[in-house]
Amino acid sequence: MIVMNRRDFLKKVVTFSLSLMGIVVFPLYFYLKPTRLKTKSTEFFYVTIEDNLPKKGVNRFKALINDKKMLVYIVKYNDEWIALSPVCTHLGCLVNWNRNKNEFQCCCHGGRYAMDGTVLGGPPPASLTRLPMEIRGDKLFVGLRLSYK
Ligand code: FES
């Protein structure tokens, strides 16, 4: 029979507890802790001059955003301009405007959107994203929500 005095017993309990924390608690904490919060802010990017906006229908523009080209559709809809993201809400492919059928089409899985971006058919779960627009002077700017860590 092993006889242990009170001091040795307490040492073993403390050692065991610290080991348990090291093996279980700390890794669990780092696994479950929330990732760093991202802040999002809307930044506006120059797209074109106002004279280039469509008088009717849909025009596609390229904007330069942080040295990368981004497509944006500007649509004249109900006497207003709206800016639509070309990113399909299903799995993120880029949609194309089909002038003959008067709809946006996604070639990946057949998603279809109306001129105002609402879903006409296929798997997309939501309308194309409307982007905020601003006309400053005679220039059109489109807003994007960008994430920062
Ligand atoms: S990604 Fe557009 S329909 Fe699937």
Side-chain angles (χ1 to χ4, degrees):
M1 181 174 167
I2 300 173
V3 178
M4 198 182 298
N5 66 25
R6 192 172 157 181
R7 175 173 278 186
D8 288 341
F9 176 75
L10 284 175
K11 270 187 190 173
K12 289 199 185 280
V13 168
V14 169
T15 303
F16 176 76
S17 300
L18 290 175
S19 300
L20 190 64
M21 278 182 74
I23 293 170
V24 176
V25 176
F26 289 123
L28 194 62
Y29 167 75
F30 286 109
Y31 177 74
L32 294 176
K33 79 173 187 171
T35 55
R36 284 197 303 173
L37 291 177
K38 292 180 180 176
T39 54
K40 285 190 170 189
S41 68
T42 301
E43 291 191 25
F44 283 82
F45 297 91
Y46 170 74
V47 175
T48 188
I49 58 172
E50 194 174 2
D51 288 347
N52 290 340
L53 294 177
K55 307 294 179 252
K56 65 176 190 172
V58 178
N59 277 11
R60 190 174 81 162
F61 295 94
K62 289 178 184 164
L64 203 57
I65 297 170
N66 298 335
D67 298 330
K68 291 182 181 169
K69 286 183 184 165
M70 193 207 97
L71 296 177
V72 60
Y73 285 105
I74 306 296
V75 180
K76 183 80 174 206
Y77 185 76
N78 286 345
D79 291 331
E80 286 184 11
W81 286 298
I82 55 175
L84 293 175
S85 165
V87 179
C88 181
T89 57
H90 179 224
L91 292 176
C93 293
L94 296 182
V95 300
N96 292 304
W97 174 247
N98 185 323
R99 223 176 273 272
N100 297 327
K101 293 195 172 177
N102 220 28
E103 65 183 28
F104 292 100
Q105 297 176 333
C106 180
C107 61
C108 289
H109 311 102
R112 297 167 44 237
Y113 300 89
M115 181 186 262
D116 66 345
T118 54
V119 177
L120 291 175
S127 303
L128 292 174
T129 303
R130 282 193 186 197
L131 304 171
M133 297 172 52
E134 280 185 11
I135 293 181
R136 303 177 194 157
D138 66 341
K139 295 177 180 163
L140 171 75
F141 292 80
V142 168
L144 289 177
R145 286 178 61 82
L146 302 177
S147 298
Y148 299 97
K149 276 191 175 180

